Amino acid sequence: MSQLSVGIVGCGLISEAHLKAWSTTDGFTIKGVFDTNAEQAQKRAKQFDVANIYTDLDQLIANCDVVDVCTPPATHAMIAEKAIAAKRHLVMEKPMVTDAADWTRMTDLIAKSGTKIAVIHNIKFLHSVRQAKQWVDEGRIGKVIRVQREFLTSATNDRMLVGDKHWSHKLPGGRWFETLPHELYLTHWFAGPLEVDHVTAISTPNAPSGAPADEVMVSLRGASCIASFHFSANCEQNRRMLILTGTHGHITVDLLSDFASITTAKDSKWKRAVGAPIVQAGQTILRSAPDRSRYGVQHLRGDSPHQRIIHSLAKALQGKGEDPTPIAEVDYVVRNCELIGREIDRQVAAARAAQPAHGIK
Ligand SMILES: NC(=O)c1ccc[n+]([C@@H]2O[C@H](COP(=O)([O-])OP(=O)(O)OC[C@H]3O[C@@H](n4cnc5c(N)ncnc54)[C@H](O)[C@@H]3O)[C@@H](O)[C@H]2O)c1
């Protein structure tokens, strides 16, 4: 099979994971890079020994079979439309686009052009999350009745909350819009397309400029399942948790240490006497040795969720596998990101209008 060529657009932080992934993908060659900041493009080209540094986007699109977009979200629609019009395959960092109207226009173009699209919904490719999905699919926790996600951070822990210049601050809902795709595709994957039910956004006097609503709770509802996302800019603990509650047990995933634990134990007198959390801790420790060895080996190999999703797209492009991000999942993310982001902004604006004298930020 002939080699397909890949062009990377945007050579900032996350491009490194993409370049690493493509450089280990059989059947694909990194043809060139482009960044509006020429220095950044040169840095990545040197790091990965890439021959071509393009000076404009059209040149890259004309020369590459796959266009891989690693630029800030506000630029995604413009770049994607050009690549689709040229019938190029697309890899897009999440979120696909920031505006649902752009997406509606684009879906028609995608259908006509026959182009393949993968949006980097990488947390689905985290080992612990795949383990959780396997447990759910095997029926280990029964029917999923709750999906709970915590994204609790602070300016000390989160590079996007530092200062007032990061591009995420201009997105609907500020910094939270940057992570919202993760929460939404995970919900879609585990519980289907739940509907946004309620958004509560509060702005405390500590709110950083990147998260003018520094405490946010989103709830979603389906016929038999509820989901909730909590975003905080005030938590020094830095938690990234996914908790799945089922009719027969629950699964807790710590995304930062890529570790999943499951409990299906029923209440009983002896468990109360020993302490149910102590019984569960024992079971978790039994699982931990093989899991941590696997984690260590993956780290040594430089294996990452970005590598796994890009390898999966590569197989789909070679006709050997399914698309890693079905269009219905992307559609769900784009439409609900916009809905939630705009509602956060509306509540912040309403709070400011109601209490200007008290200096709500
Ligand atoms: N999937 C994940 O886990 C994950 C993690 C981090 C970032 N991201 C996503 O990746 C994207 C980039 O984030 P980042 O943190 O790497 O940003 P970044 O600011 O570090 O890098 C962005 C790069 O794009 C360049 N750029 C800006 N506009 C451009 C344009 N029109 N054409 C070409 N280059 C342009 C900038 O000069 C910069 O070098 C965002 O969509 C973000 O949400 C995803």
Side-chain angles (χ1 to χ4, degrees):
M1 188 173 206
S2 64
Q3 292 274 315
L4 291 179
S5 57
V6 180
I8 306 282
V9 184
C11 297
L13 188 112
I14 205 65
S15 67
E16 186 173 19
H18 289 241
L19 283 152
K20 263 189 197 158
W22 285 117
S23 58
T24 60
T25 308
D26 289 340
F28 293 77
T29 313
I30 304 166
K31 178 99 183 255
V33 294
F34 167 67
D35 194 300
T36 44
N37 175 344
E39 256 177 50
Q40 200 56 37
Q42 278 155 13
K43 179 180 147 192
R44 287 287 182 238
K46 192 167 170 214
Q47 184 184 359
F48 288 91
D49 211 8
V50 178
N52 299 300
I53 302 174
Y54 294 107
T55 50
D56 82 77
L57 176 63
D58 295 332
Q59 221 182 4
L60 177 142
I61 293 174
N63 283 290
C64 297
D65 302 305
V66 181
V67 177
D68 181 347
V69 182
C70 303
T71 57
T75 63
H76 288 186
M78 174 278 287
I79 301 169
E81 282 193 82
K82 279 186 176 221
I84 296 164
K87 297 189 176 2
R88 298 303 184 242
H89 300 303
L90 253 181
V91 177
M92 298 291 300
E93 257 306 342
K94 38 60 54 179
M96 172 76 203
V97 291
T98 56
D99 190 324
D102 285 336
W103 172 240
T104 303
R105 205 177 47 253
M106 224 174 266
T107 45
D108 285 345
L109 295 175
I110 295 166
K112 282 184 200 138
S113 72
T115 193
K116 273 201 189 295
I117 292 203
V119 186
I120 299 294
H121 290 175
N122 50 310
I123 296 182
K124 275 170 64 183
F125 285 78
L126 207 59
H127 174 84
S128 51
V129 174
R130 291 193 96 71
Q131 170 70 82
K133 183 74 166 105
Q134 188 186 328
W135 284 333
V136 168
D137 291 348
E138 286 168 359
R140 298 272 296 275
I141 61 163
K143 193 168 164 34
V144 176
I145 52 177
R146 171 114 198 249
V147 178
Q148 197 183 335
R149 169 87 161 112
E150 292 176 349
F151 186 106
L152 312 182
T153 190
S154 68
T156 328
N157 292 302
D158 186 347
R159 71 187 168 103
M160 295 189 192
L161 287 177
V162 176
D164 54 10
K165 293 201 170 47
H166 193 267
W167 46 256
S168 64
H169 303 186
K170 295 205 178 81
L171 297 170
R175 193 264 172 268
W176 308 131
F177 192 97
E178 199 278 336
T179 182
L180 255 172
H182 293 307
E183 283 68 54
L184 286 162
Y185 66 70
L186 288 173
T187 301
H188 189 272
W189 205 37
F190 281 102
L194 306 189
E195 228 178 88
V196 176
D197 189 47
H198 202 77
V199 177
T200 306
I202 62 170
S203 187
T204 78
N206 299 326
S209 65
D214 50 337
E215 293 297 332
V216 176
M217 179 65 85
V218 180
S219 61
L220 301 95
R221 64 189 297 155
S224 57
C225 182
I226 289 172
S228 65
F229 314 149
H230 180 190
F231 300 112
S232 170
N234 300 302
C235 183
E236 293 300 335
Q237 221 190 355
N238 204 31
R239 274 168 73 80
R240 304 282 189 283
M241 302 300 290
L242 172 67
I243 301 159
L244 302 161
T245 307
T247 48
H248 291 74
H250 73 260
I251 297 168
T252 305
V253 185
D254 177 8
L255 300 175
L256 292 182
S257 50
D258 191 9
F259 187 79
S261 58
I262 181 168
T263 174
T264 54
K266 282 193 179 153
D267 180 33
S268 73
K269 280 186 184 156
W270 78 267
K271 279 205 193 86
R272 287 187 190 191
V274 177
I278 297 169
V279 177
Q280 196 198 331
Q283 290 166 340
T284 303
I285 285 167
L286 286 178
R287 266 202 66 238
S288 64
D291 188 279
R292 293 300 84 188
S293 322
R294 182 267 317 150
Y295 181 87
V297 170
Q298 268 173 11
H299 261 251
L300 286 175
R301 280 200 202 130
D303 185 10
S304 71
H306 269 81
Q307 189 172 75
R308 282 173 235 137
I309 190 170
I310 284 175
H311 285 182
S312 162
L313 169 72
K315 282 208 179 109
L317 286 176
Q318 292 163 334
K320 294 187 224 157
E322 286 178 13
D323 289 347
T325 44
I327 286 284
E329 181 180 291
V330 179
D331 187 77
Y332 179 74
V333 170
V334 169
R335 297 190 190 287
N336 288 298
C337 268
E338 179 169 334
L339 192 74
I340 296 166
R342 299 218 179 279
E343 179 56 17
I344 294 172
D345 286 348
R346 191 196 67 73
Q347 291 188 25
V348 171
R352 282 180 177 160
Q355 292 181 306
H358 293 91
I360 287 183
K361 288 199 224 168

